[in-house]
Amino acid sequence: MAQFYCLSVMLSLLCGLILIYGQDAELGDEAFEDASSKSSIPGIDKLQEGIAGESLFGNELFRLVCGALAFVSGLVTFLVPYNGIAVFGDLLPSLVCLLAGATVLLGYFEDRNEEFVPPEILDTILTNNKLYIGIAALLFGVVHFILPGAPLL
């Protein structure tokens, strides 16, 4: 399942970037204001310029596809690990990929439909911790790429 492993790592990184640098990112903690500025990573401005000057991470279709694929790949890598013990082989990266995909999808549906009100528990867990889930997705994506055969990674 090397394909799902690669897809899970890439989508975890993309969803982390969407959650951190997305247009609708709301910073709840002032400690992360420097980390979330668009000039903190060299070349992020070029990466964000997508179709017709629109922000790539704010593009609705891009967010929908990345969120849905991250959720599905997180679920598949949770059930069938790349290299390791069944279920526990990719436990943490697949859970983070599931959370990141669900958070991106929830943000998409909230932006798309003004009348959509998510359940209180989803709003509390996912929407209020969007920045932390994005940082975790980036960290686990990088670590999972570097250490593919680790027992819990």
Side-chain angles (χ1 to χ4, degrees):
M1 293 304 268
Q3 299 89 348
F4 276 103
Y5 168 76
C6 183
L7 190 64
S8 173
V9 169
M10 287 189 327
L11 289 170
S12 180
L13 292 172
L14 278 175
C15 284
L17 288 172
I18 288 171
L19 291 173
I20 293 173
Y21 293 105
Q23 287 181 344
D24 60 318
E26 297 174 6
L27 300 175
D29 193 0
E30 293 178 6
F32 291 107
E33 284 184 9
D34 294 333
S36 66
S37 66
K38 292 183 173 120
S39 62
S40 64
I41 297 177
I44 197 72
D45 293 332
K46 291 180 183 178
L47 181 62
Q48 277 194 323
E49 291 178 11
I51 303 167
E54 182 180 322
S55 173
L56 181 63
F57 300 134
N59 188 344
E60 290 182 355
L61 181 61
F62 183 74
R63 288 189 304 158
L64 176 66
V65 170
C66 283
L69 286 177
F71 190 80
V72 169
S73 71
L75 185 64
V76 169
T77 57
F78 180 74
L79 299 174
V80 183
Y82 171 63
N83 184 14
I85 307 166
V87 176
F88 291 111
D90 291 333
L91 179 66
L92 296 177
S94 63
L95 288 178
V96 169
C97 194
L98 277 168
L99 279 175
T103 307
V104 170
L105 283 174
L106 186 65
Y108 169 79
F109 288 121
E110 284 178 342
D111 290 346
R112 189 80 171 154
N113 189 358
E114 304 269 331
E115 299 170 1
F116 175 73
V117 178
E120 185 67 30
I121 190 164
L122 286 180
D123 194 39
T124 303
I125 293 172
L126 299 179
T127 306
N128 294 342
N129 298 315
K130 187 184 328 188
L131 182 64
Y132 300 114
I133 293 171
I135 291 171
L138 280 176
L139 288 176
F140 274 101
V142 169
V143 171
H144 196 51
F145 177 74
I146 293 171
L147 303 170
L152 284 176
L153 289 176

